[in-house]
Amino acid sequence: FCLMAVPGKVAAFHLPPLPTVGEIIKLFRLKAQKQLSQNFLLDLRLTDKIVRQAGELKNAHVCEVGPGPGGITRSILSAGVEQLLLIEKDARFIPGLQMLSEAAPGKVRIVHGDILTYKMEKAFPKHLKKNWEDEPPDIHIIGNLPFSVSTPLIIKWLENVSKKDGPFIYGRTQMTLTFQKEVAERLTANPGGKQRSRLSIMSQHLCTVENCFVIPGQAFVPKPEVDVAVVHFTPLVEPKIQQPFELVEKVVRSVFQFRRKYCFRGIETLFPESGRLKRTEQLMMTANVDPTLRPFQLSMSQFRNLCNTYRKMCDEDPGLFVYNYREELRQKKMMRNLQKSTSQHNQIEEEDQL
C-alpha cells in the first residue's frame, strides 16, 4: 500500500472550483470496467443524499471504499470532515483523487490497495476509540461498492463486528454502503418475507440495518441492469445471538441450504449420516422449532434457540462442529466411483479369462 498524502489539521473550508466528475472521467480517460462491476455516480445531489444518510460528519473521520472518480468523495469533503481515508484498488483513479487531495490540503489520505485485505485496525487515531457500550465513535465507513465485492465485504465486516476487530476495534463504527436493490432487500427482510435469507439473519443479529433509499439504475454510468439501494448499519451493543460468528454462520447457512423445503431438511446437514435423524429431532425439539416451517419463516429468536442448542451439542461432541455435509457427499461420490471402477475392472478381467 502506498500513502499518497499526509494527514494534518486545517481550518474549515469549501472545496475550490474543480472540474466536474464527468470532466475528470474525460480528462483521465476513465472507463468503468464491466469485469470489476464498476458504475459511476455523477449526480452530486445523489452523492450528497448518500452522505447525509451517514449522519453528522462535521469533524468526523471517514473511510470511503472504492471512491472511483470521486463523486461521493466531494460530498464527504463538503460535509466538513476532519480526515478522509480513500481506499482505491484501481490505479487509474489515483490521479483524479490526488487532484481532490490537493484541493483539500491535509484532509485526504489515499491508499492504493484492496479493501478486502487492507488492515483497518490502524486506519484511525487511537483517541477516537470508544467502549462498545458507548455511543458510536466519530468514525464512518461510506462506499458505492462494486457489486462483485459488496456481499463478501459485508460478510467480512459483520464478522469483524462480532469479534470487535477491524474497523470495529474503535467501537460501534457506522457504515453507509450501496448494494444491488435485491441484496439490500435481503439485508433488511423480515421473517416470512420472500427475500429473507442467510444475509438477513447474519446482518440483523449484529446490527440495526436500515434500507435508506433506492437509486434508479439510469443515475449511474454505465447504467447497470438493476437499481441500487443505500443501506445504513449501526452495530448493536448486544448481538441477538450470543454465539461465535462461525457457529451462527454454519447454522444459518445450513438452514437456508434448502430454502423452499421444510427447515428440518437443512438442519439435517449439520449432522453426519449415522444418527442424523435422531440428532435433528433432538435439536429441533430442544430449540422448540416447528420442523415444518420454511427457512424464511423462522424468527430471530428461533435461530437463537437453534444456535444455542447446537452449541451445547458441539460441546458434548467436540468433533461435531468440524463435520462438513458437502465433504461427506464428496467422499461418498468418490467411493461410488471407485467401486464402479473396480467392478468394471473385475468384469474385464473375467471376460479376458473366458
Side-chain angles (χ1 to χ4, degrees):
F1 299 113
C2 74
L3 273 57
M4 308 189 74
V6 180
K9 291 192 175 180
V10 293
F13 75 105
H14 291 288
L15 280 173
L18 285 164
T20 66
V21 180
E23 286 166 349
I24 291 273
I25 288 169
K26 285 178 186 170
L27 179 65
F28 295 105
R29 297 180 181 177
L30 302 173
K31 191 176 180 183
Q33 294 195 355
K34 196 170 183 181
Q35 66 267 33
L36 298 177
S37 61
Q38 291 174 338
N39 302 95
F40 303 150
L41 192 55
L42 308 185
D43 186 337
L44 292 183
R45 290 169 303 178
L46 283 172
T47 60
D48 285 347
K49 191 176 178 183
I50 291 171
V51 169
R52 280 198 299 273
Q53 300 303 319
E56 177 56 61
L57 294 187
K58 190 166 177 58
N59 300 323
H61 288 246
V62 176
C63 171
E64 186 189 353
V65 182
I72 294 176
T73 313
R74 295 176 187 225
S75 296
I76 295 170
L77 287 169
S78 298
V81 297
E82 176 76 14
Q83 285 289 319
L84 174 57
L85 167 64
L86 303 176
I87 300 176
E88 178 54 67
K89 184 179 180 180
D90 192 332
R92 297 174 306 142
F93 297 121
I94 300 297
L97 296 173
Q98 189 67 43
M99 188 182 285
L100 276 174
S101 174
E102 288 161 7
K107 281 192 177 279
V108 180
R109 186 158 51 105
I110 303 170
V111 170
H112 177 208
D114 187 343
I115 189 62
L116 286 168
T117 55
Y118 180 68
K119 304 291 184 194
M120 292 195 72
E121 287 85 348
K122 296 178 182 175
F124 304 104
K126 286 181 182 176
H127 74 264
L128 296 172
K129 278 190 182 184
K130 289 206 176 180
N131 293 325
W132 196 260
E133 300 74 26
D134 296 342
E135 286 298 302
D138 220 1
I139 295 172
H140 298 262
I141 297 172
I142 299 175
N144 173 29
L145 305 176
F147 296 155
S148 59
V149 168
S150 59
T151 302
L153 185 55
I154 196 59
I155 288 290
K156 171 182 157 65
W157 276 339
L158 289 170
E159 183 171 4
N160 289 145
V161 171
S162 175
K163 295 176 179 177
K164 299 176 185 173
D165 61 12
F168 307 97
I169 202 165
Y170 302 93
R172 295 186 296 121
T173 300
Q174 297 177 78
M175 303 182 284
T176 308
L177 307 167
T178 62
F179 296 88
Q180 288 184 54
K181 186 184 170 196
E182 188 179 309
V183 175
E185 287 170 351
R186 283 185 208 148
L187 285 161
T188 55
N190 293 318
K194 64 177 182 178
Q195 294 285 20
R196 186 77 162 175
S197 66
R198 173 179 75 113
L199 215 46
S200 317
I201 310 303
M202 297 311 296
S203 56
Q204 292 171 35
H205 107 83
L206 290 162
C207 298
T208 300
V209 191
E210 182 189 355
N211 194 338
C212 304
F213 66 96
V214 174
I215 305 172
Q218 61 258 34
F220 292 86
V221 178
K223 176 182 176 290
E225 294 175 8
V226 294
D227 292 337
V228 172
V230 177
V231 182
H232 184 76
F233 301 81
T234 306
L236 295 165
V237 174
E238 291 287 340
K240 292 180 180 170
I241 303 173
Q242 300 269 0
Q243 294 296 347
F245 183 87
E246 293 82 359
L247 184 140
V248 177
E249 218 235 347
K250 185 179 182 184
V251 171
V252 173
R253 188 175 63 242
S254 297
V255 170
F256 280 101
Q257 191 157 225
F258 302 102
R259 180 181 170 76
R260 299 187 182 282
K261 299 188 176 179
Y262 293 142
C263 64
F264 79 84
R265 181 68 191 87
I267 288 168
E268 282 183 327
T269 65
L270 288 168
F271 304 107
E273 192 172 25
S274 57
R276 177 173 289 156
L277 188 61
K278 185 181 176 185
R279 292 174 109 173
T280 302
E281 286 175 354
Q282 179 192 344
L283 172 57
M284 303 213 70
M285 197 175 292
T286 309
N288 193 25
V289 173
D290 180 349
T292 63
L293 288 172
R294 312 283 177 184
F296 57 86
Q297 294 176 307
L298 297 183
S299 67
M300 189 64 76
S301 61
Q302 288 171 315
F303 272 105
R304 181 171 59 241
N305 292 348
L306 287 169
C307 290
N308 290 344
T309 307
Y310 179 65
R311 171 66 186 270
K312 285 177 186 168
M313 295 172 83
C314 289
D315 288 345
E316 291 164 8
D317 177 2
L320 181 57
F321 185 70
V322 296
Y323 165 72
N324 185 312
Y325 174 73
R326 290 187 183 279
E327 180 61 22
E328 186 178 62
L329 285 183
R330 196 178 70 82
Q331 294 283 358
K332 282 171 71 176
K333 187 177 179 182
M334 281 175 60
M335 285 299 295
R336 280 199 304 270
N337 289 340
L338 185 63
Q339 287 166 356
K340 188 177 176 183
S341 173
T342 305
S343 173
Q344 286 173 344
H345 180 73
N346 291 343
Q347 189 177 349
I348 289 166
E349 279 195 341
E350 285 172 16
E351 286 172 357
D352 286 349
Q353 287 171 2
L354 285 168

